[in-house]
Amino acid sequence: MHPQEISILSPCSSSSHEAEVDPRKDPRYQGLFCPDTIIEPFKVKVVEPLPLLSREERARGLKMADFNLFSVPAEEVTIDLMTDSGTSAMSQAQWAAIMQGDESYAGARSFFRFKEAVQDLTGMKYVIPTHQGRAAEKILFTVVGGKGKAVPANTHFDTTRANVEHSGCQALDFVIPEGLDPEAEHPFKGNVDLEKLEAWLNENASRVPLMVLTVTNNSGGGQPVSLKNMKALRELLQGFNIPLFLDCARFAENAWFIKTREPGQNHRSVKEISQEMFRLADGAMMSAKKDAFGNIGGFLALNEESIAAECRNLLILTEGFPTYGGLAGRDLDALAVGLEEVVDERYLCYRIASTRYVWKRLDDLGVPLLRPAGGHAVYIDARRFLPHVPPSLCPGQTVSVALFLEAGVRSVEIGTVMFGRTLEDGRQDPAPMDLVRLAIPRRVYTQSHMDYVIEAVRFVFEKRSRLGGFRISKEPEALRHFTCSFEPADWDPLAI
Ligand SMILES: *Cc1c(COP(=O)(O)O)cnc(C)c1O
């Protein structure tokens, strides 16, 4: 047995959800080195220095930014966990592919390489590159959306919802109830509530142009969808003649969860599982800034010729000619390689284990978290973290600011700041949950970086009783979290 197979099997199956596979009990492995440590399956070739500022310098930066971490220059951030989007480290093979980029306007070699990689995975006929995921959404929903229509999903990601609604169409979520409860334990919290969907379709199917399935379910905490749920969904939709589209930014992480958590899937390769996921769908949109290790990029893939033709016409209007769609040829080459690398199980084993590692250590410290660990991020439940700060005073913002001030760790508030709104009398209408997301960029940070993050959270958690809330002192009309200003609510965050 090859040692790599052992490392895939052994430590990756230790969570309560994962199939119990202990290779040390298998006679074939006896006497072989079977480590508990999951190592990064790469070594470092190029280094980028980390900014290491003093608390005083960060305090100054925070004041300048009106306590909005989106306004803090990245040069002041030591560990940046704001997003896993576009922040991946590319491999030597990707950088080598970049040198082979073909920058021809039409019919570039790079496009055909990219198309082949997308088709190998998805099996879909038409491949339309875009500069990122939301460009694919905008084009698709301009073609199929519109007034009077409705698009159901497990949970729409915010840009997807915005693009569906921008077309005049309704966007509705049908995730299972466990998917909305931060404390519920369920191996596939991204699953669709099929009964609820069917009941709704019985009344509304005629105005549904397609259904979106987000894998993994980003807005629900990076939680996966099971193959069983996907198959049943497929069957249900076929009965109504409704096409299924995957929003597949993290398809490989989803396939890894299927492999390790779903009965009967452990013997299959992640690539095979991914291919099956795509075969169950009629189309896919991808933000290639996630599981394709791209710093930019996306695509729309589908089988229906007439829709593809309309989408390509719109693409020419805003993105560019259909063989580059807003990207440089070299980007397409890097993405083609990334799509192959991401289904490498040594990588996925490390990826999911490193997220779970942070989650488990914080859970052991008693830090309130969204359960279980997601694929790309760990979510702190700020309402339980700061029970003395009311949701109207944005407890997630407090945790986020404190992590940055004390340790230079940048996270993102996903709660009242992002999804709440200011009422006419100036009070806040809070969001359903106040979370702080620690998103983990792919292949960028090592375990010691994560140990530092864990210490930072512990430090802030220990002084939590001294932390207060924040008021929003100035805000724009829409998407306020990016640019609004904050004021501490009767306390001095810099002095505690
Ligand atoms: C990131 C993301 C998008 C949007 O993609 P961009 O590349 O940021 O435009 C859409 N859906 C999901 C699930 C995402 O995670």
Side-chain angles (χ1 to χ4, degrees):
M1 192 58 53
H2 196 277
Q4 273 168 5
E5 289 177 48
I6 297 171
S7 76
I8 287 167
L9 281 171
S10 70
C12 292
S13 39
S14 56
S15 129
S16 57
H17 290 304
E18 260 96 294
E20 270 313 313
V21 189
D22 186 352
R24 280 163 289 209
K25 296 202 179 109
D26 188 318
R28 287 174 303 166
Y29 303 103
Q30 277 172 18
L32 292 177
F33 179 51
C34 237
D36 281 322
T37 308
I38 300 166
I39 59 172
E40 287 84 357
F42 49 78
K43 56 184 176 176
V44 177
K45 183 174 321 217
V46 176
V47 297
E48 178 180 342
L50 280 184
L52 289 165
L53 279 70
S54 66
R55 188 183 193 272
E56 222 170 27
E57 289 169 315
R58 283 193 296 264
R60 217 173 303 135
L62 265 176
K63 252 195 187 148
M64 297 262 293
D66 294 321
F67 296 98
N68 188 330
L69 294 176
F70 284 100
S71 305
V72 170
E75 283 206 312
E76 295 177 11
V77 179
T78 302
I79 308 276
D80 205 343
L81 306 183
M82 180 168 252
T83 178
D84 65 323
S85 178
T87 53
S88 298
M90 288 205 289
S91 65
Q92 61 179 2
Q94 285 182 292
W95 283 109
I98 276 184
M99 289 305 296
Q100 297 185 7
D102 175 357
E103 306 304 340
S104 304
Y105 191 90
R109 192 173 59 231
S110 301
F111 169 71
F112 294 105
R113 215 175 275 155
F114 174 75
K115 182 173 142 189
E116 214 168 281
V118 174
Q119 285 181 329
D120 178 39
L121 268 172
T122 65
M124 287 171 198
K125 249 189 181 147
Y126 305 104
V127 177
I128 300 171
T130 59
H131 82 276
Q132 60 185 83
R134 70 196 69 183
E137 293 163 359
K138 172 79 165 80
I139 288 167
L140 179 66
F141 293 112
T142 303
V143 172
V144 305
K147 275 212 173 59
K149 297 188 184 174
V151 172
N154 46 351
T155 311
H156 288 277
F157 179 65
D158 36 2
T159 60
T160 324
R161 171 180 295 280
N163 276 303
V164 169
E165 290 175 348
H166 185 74
S167 80
C169 180
Q170 228 182 336
L172 295 157
D173 295 340
F174 288 90
V175 74
I176 54 170
E178 290 90 336
L180 297 171
D181 174 0
E183 292 179 71
E185 285 282 355
H186 187 290
F188 294 102
K189 284 174 95 167
N191 279 358
V192 174
D193 185 335
L194 296 162
E195 270 178 38
K196 195 172 151 204
L197 176 66
E198 184 171 9
W200 180 82
L201 283 174
N202 280 331
E203 306 292 319
N204 295 282
S206 64
R207 55 190 194 102
V208 177
L210 57 84
M211 164 129 189
V212 172
L213 190 65
T214 315
V215 289
T216 56
N217 194 19
N218 187 0
S219 302
Q223 302 290 329
V225 180
S226 72
L227 207 48
K228 189 174 162 209
N229 190 255
M230 269 181 232
K231 284 183 190 160
L233 176 64
R234 169 82 191 161
E235 217 165 280
L236 175 65
L237 292 176
Q238 258 170 346
F240 290 99
N241 212 6
I242 295 171
L244 175 63
F245 272 61
L246 296 186
D247 182 357
C248 65
R250 299 179 184 79
F251 73 93
E253 291 175 5
N254 198 94
W256 175 262
F257 282 122
I258 289 174
K259 179 182 170 87
T260 54
R261 291 181 181 178
E262 191 159 344
Q265 298 296 328
N266 203 262
H267 68 285
R268 302 177 70 198
S269 74
V270 162
K271 183 161 178 188
E272 251 178 272
I273 295 170
S274 303
Q275 286 168 329
E276 184 176 0
M277 285 164 48
F278 285 112
R279 294 303 182 275
L280 291 169
D282 305 282
M285 323 164 248
M286 179 164 189
S287 166
K289 299 170 74 174
K290 286 48 172 262
D291 268 358
F293 301 112
N295 299 126
I296 196 73
F299 66 79
L300 179 60
L302 67 170
N303 284 323
E304 174 62 45
E305 222 234 291
S306 60
I307 295 178
E310 274 191 72
C311 288
R312 268 196 302 259
N313 289 337
L314 280 179
L315 186 84
I316 294 175
L317 213 56
T318 55
E319 292 283 286
F321 192 71
T323 60
Y324 71 86
L327 293 167
R330 54 179 170 270
D331 296 327
L332 292 168
D333 276 287
L335 296 178
V337 175
L339 285 172
E340 280 165 28
E341 287 181 353
V342 77
V343 292
D344 178 344
E345 300 189 4
R346 286 164 300 168
Y347 159 73
L348 284 166
C349 174
Y350 138 79
R351 167 74 176 159
I352 300 301
S354 62
T355 306
R356 192 173 58 226
Y357 173 80
V358 177
W359 186 91
K360 178 81 172 63
R361 293 272 312 270
L362 292 178
D363 191 45
D364 289 347
L365 290 168
V367 177
L369 303 172
L370 189 145
R371 320 181 70 83
H376 67 293
V378 175
Y379 296 72
I380 296 171
D381 184 343
R383 282 194 194 163
R384 284 190 290 139
F385 194 105
L386 297 173
H388 58 285
V389 176
S392 60
L393 290 182
C394 312
Q397 186 62 21
T398 303
V399 174
S400 220
V401 163
L403 282 173
F404 176 72
L405 175 67
E406 304 297 352
V409 173
R410 179 156 68 172
S411 55
V412 68
E413 191 264 12
I414 300 191
T416 297
V417 179
M418 199 179 270
F419 297 122
R421 66 194 175 100
T422 305
L423 299 169
E424 284 194 1
D425 61 6
R427 284 178 311 134
Q428 286 302 311
D429 180 17
M433 292 194 275
D434 278 289
L435 303 174
V436 173
R437 185 182 74 181
L438 306 169
I440 306 182
R442 293 168 182 74
R443 305 190 293 208
V444 171
Y445 295 117
T446 64
Q447 183 164 341
S448 71
H449 291 127
M450 290 299 121
D451 287 335
Y452 173 91
V453 169
I454 291 158
E455 278 193 57
V457 176
R458 183 172 68 184
F459 185 79
V460 171
F461 190 53
E462 279 166 1
K463 63 185 332 194
R464 64 190 179 280
S465 63
R466 283 149 51 202
L467 306 179
F470 279 93
R471 288 197 187 93
I472 296 176
S473 51
K474 216 166 78 196
E475 62 180 298
E477 295 260 318
L479 296 171
R480 65 179 184 177
H481 55 285
F482 288 126
T483 52
C484 66
S485 305
F486 296 93
E487 249 168 31
D490 313 314
W491 65 300
D492 183 0
L494 307 180
I496 53 113

